[in-house]
Amino acid sequence: MPELPEVETTRRGIRPLVAGQVVTALQVRNPRLRLPVPTDLAAAIVGERLAEVRRRAKYLLLDFPAGSVIIHLGMSGSLRVLAAGEAPGLHDHVDLVFGSQLLRLRDPRRFGLVVWQAGDALAHPWLSRLGPEPLGGAFDGAWLHRVTRGLRLPIKQALMDAQRVVGVGNIYASESLFRARIHPLTPAGEVGPRRCERLARAVRETLEMAIAAGGSTLRDFVGSDGRPGYFQQQYFVYGRAGAPCRVCGSPVERAVSGQRATFFCPRCQLR
DNA sequence: CACCACTCCTGCCCGC
DNA sequence: TGCGGGCAGGAGTGGT
């Protein structure tokens, strides 16, 4: 399930292989994603040079002269660079062919998206109202404190709201709150300035560590099994209900918040 | 606004 | 061994 670190690792993996290359063909094998792949996509990009691969939140932006292909990996999407002619698998929806190689989007659960945005990609309605990047300078404790005043909803849900900060998904929300020693069900408005500071720092550190862990597997984006290698990453609480907290040994608990599984240590994390 | 519920889809795991 | 059921999960959308 790609969260921001996986998307960033994907970006870093594919960028050196496709940036600067000209699209020679587009193959839409299965247009059915969360929204249908636009039928006029080929007209927009075939024959054009891919200038840059950027990321905003969990969206990947493939920049062309006239606009950008915006890709979201949903929860099961992956992008790999393969040799042209590589036989497609069951859920390989789209290929961007660049001469002798291709960029292949696979998405078994079809929560992903491919859209075309003419002109500035950031002007797309899905991107234009997003909050700050968690790894950028605009996100810090002061910002987090400001955008959570008066909120009664749990801090975890506030953290996962892309208008407040982007890129914090279910896994890293739980992990960041553990790192900051804040109980995920604490009303967001009750988290004071010092704890907001700690939480903002925890979000940044958690994501940076995950990206660093993925960086060693960039070579996997070419060739056979191209999955980013976070599976080796050790989570503190996520998915560990009943298992001992890695810090204090108390059993990790599971709750549901905003219809999402939420994991925390009841002893380390205070309301 | 703030908040909530619903929706998309399929691989995987569990129990029988 | 096969099969049904339940679950997970990003984020847009459409309520109250």
Side-chain angles (χ1 to χ4, degrees):
Chain A
M1 47 218 89
E3 295 218 31
L4 184 141
E6 286 83 349
V7 178
E8 177 61 19
T9 297
T10 297
R11 187 189 74 81
R12 294 182 188 183
I14 67 173
R15 194 188 78 96
L17 302 168
V18 297
Q21 307 292 312
V22 172
V23 176
T24 51
L26 174 74
Q27 175 137 40
V28 180
R29 212 169 279 107
N30 177 359
R32 299 175 62 217
L33 291 171
R34 194 147 66 77
L35 297 176
V37 177
T39 52
D40 56 354
L41 187 58
I45 65 172
V46 172
E48 304 295 339
R49 187 176 303 275
L50 198 175
E52 184 53 286
V53 182
R54 291 183 293 156
R55 179 186 60 75
R56 175 73 172 106
K58 295 178 190 169
Y59 296 93
L60 286 167
L61 315 177
L62 311 187
D63 294 336
F64 289 90
S68 299
V69 179
I70 301 177
I71 297 177
H72 197 291
L73 299 178
M75 65 164 290
S76 63
S78 64
L79 281 171
R80 280 189 296 155
V81 178
L82 301 164
E86 184 84 20
L90 178 59
H91 300 295
D92 290 336
H93 286 71
V94 179
D95 291 347
L96 270 68
V97 185
F98 299 87
S100 62
Q101 61 179 10
L102 55 80
L103 180 66
R104 177 164 287 169
L105 173 65
R106 169 179 299 185
D107 189 0
R109 298 190 192 178
R110 295 171 37 191
F111 276 29
L113 283 169
V114 175
V115 300
W116 168 256
Q117 171 70 22
D120 178 12
L122 300 182
H124 191 284
W126 293 342
L127 306 187
S128 62
R129 283 185 292 272
L130 290 174
E133 290 287 330
L135 304 179
F139 177 69
D140 58 14
W143 167 267
L144 189 57
H145 187 255
R146 182 154 75 76
V147 298
T148 51
R149 289 316 85 193
L151 297 183
R152 279 168 302 148
L153 90 165
I155 184 64
K156 175 171 179 265
Q157 283 174 252
L159 209 50
M160 291 176 64
D161 179 346
Q163 300 209 36
R164 300 193 165 89
V165 58
V166 302
V168 184
N170 200 42
I171 295 172
Y172 293 112
S174 279
E175 291 296 304
S176 299
L177 284 158
F178 175 82
R179 196 179 178 86
R181 304 291 186 262
I182 298 169
H183 194 293
L185 303 185
T186 310
E190 293 178 11
V191 181
R194 291 177 60 189
R195 292 208 295 174
C196 281
E197 198 61 52
R198 235 168 55 219
L199 183 52
R201 190 162 51 240
V203 166
R204 181 184 295 262
E205 287 170 355
T206 303
L207 294 174
E208 281 176 348
M209 283 175 61
I211 292 171
S216 60
T217 63
L218 289 183
R219 57 192 157 76
D220 289 346
F221 283 93
V222 195
S224 51
D225 176 30
R227 313 206 88 215
Y230 304 106
F231 47 84
Q232 64 216 20
Q233 190 186 339
Q234 294 257 332
Y235 294 132
F236 279 104
V237 288
Y238 184 81
R240 298 189 65 242
C245 169
R246 297 193 200 282
V247 170
C248 79
S250 298
V252 171
E253 288 188 13
R254 179 187 190 275
V256 174
S257 172
Q259 295 153 283
R260 286 291 183 281
T262 300
F263 300 90
F264 61 97
C265 171
R267 190 158 152 201
C268 292
Q269 296 174 257
L270 303 179
R271 294 215 185 215

